[in-house]
Amino acid sequence: MQARTGVALLDALGIERAHWVGNSQGGQSAMVAAISYPDRVRKFVMGGSHIGTGGDRYLMANRPSEGNRATRQALDDPSRENIAKYLRVHIDNERLVTDELVDYIHHAHTWSPEFTEVRRQSVSLPHDYAPDLPGIQAPVLLIHGGTIGWWHSR
């Protein structure tokens, strides 16, 4: 859906071809665009991205990933502690994981028992794009790795 939406945006803007850049789900959307709409993708950059739906199918990663485990734990038991752990795993700068942010996300996960139940029942339909990867025509830059730290000492 996101690749189709991106192509529709290109159509609306009168852009024939574009470079696509994405990380995580955005990288997957760029990959799907390169597979499904090869004439619309000049080049694409993909980082930390899934190559399938319905699970923890990253192109290059340990499985299950720490992020997937923290997400699953926060969804199964959205306690403040699990939400804080989820945020610390997904946000590189832990100073940004404030009590205010934890409270906000905790409320978003627990504001309605009905919403929580519907989300619990929601599933992704599994689809593996791995067989389609060799057919990608656009030049690809894959980015893999963790946090990069810089420091200077005298």
Side-chain angles (χ1 to χ4, degrees):
M1 180 194 70
Q2 290 175 339
R4 284 193 314 268
T5 301
V7 168
L9 177 62
L10 294 178
D11 289 343
L13 297 172
I15 299 170
E16 185 177 328
R17 296 177 73 206
H19 301 299
W20 294 60
V21 179
N23 181 65
S24 192
Q25 190 171 353
Q28 182 188 48
S29 298
M31 175 195 69
V32 171
I35 291 166
S36 303
Y37 308 99
D39 55 324
R40 306 304 298 268
V41 179
R42 289 185 188 276
K43 298 177 181 180
F44 86 91
V45 178
M46 177 176 170
S49 299
H50 297 273
I51 58 167
T53 58
D56 198 17
R57 284 283 291 153
Y58 280 92
L59 181 58
M60 297 181 282
N62 296 325
R63 291 175 187 80
S65 67
E66 181 182 9
N68 186 268
R69 288 190 307 267
T71 300
R72 184 79 268 140
Q73 188 175 20
L75 289 173
D76 290 345
D77 175 18
S79 66
R80 285 190 89 265
E81 294 75 24
N82 287 341
I83 296 294
K85 179 181 178 184
Y86 162 83
L87 291 169
R88 283 192 304 274
V89 166
H90 288 90
I91 298 175
D92 288 333
N93 184 347
E94 285 197 25
R95 292 181 305 195
L96 299 174
V97 182
T98 63
D99 288 341
E100 181 182 25
L101 179 60
V102 171
D103 289 341
Y104 178 82
I105 301 298
H106 179 259
H107 177 74
H109 281 259
T110 60
W111 67 275
S112 163
E114 293 83 9
F115 175 77
T116 302
E117 180 58 23
V118 168
R119 187 181 54 230
R120 188 189 66 72
Q121 293 177 24
S122 175
V123 296
S124 293
L125 296 176
H127 182 82
D128 184 5
Y129 288 99
D132 302 312
L133 296 178
I136 292 175
Q137 299 170 17
V140 178
L141 173 61
L142 294 177
I143 300 173
H144 175 69
T147 304
I148 298 174
W150 298 93
W151 67 91
H152 174 75
S153 62
R154 294 181 181 238

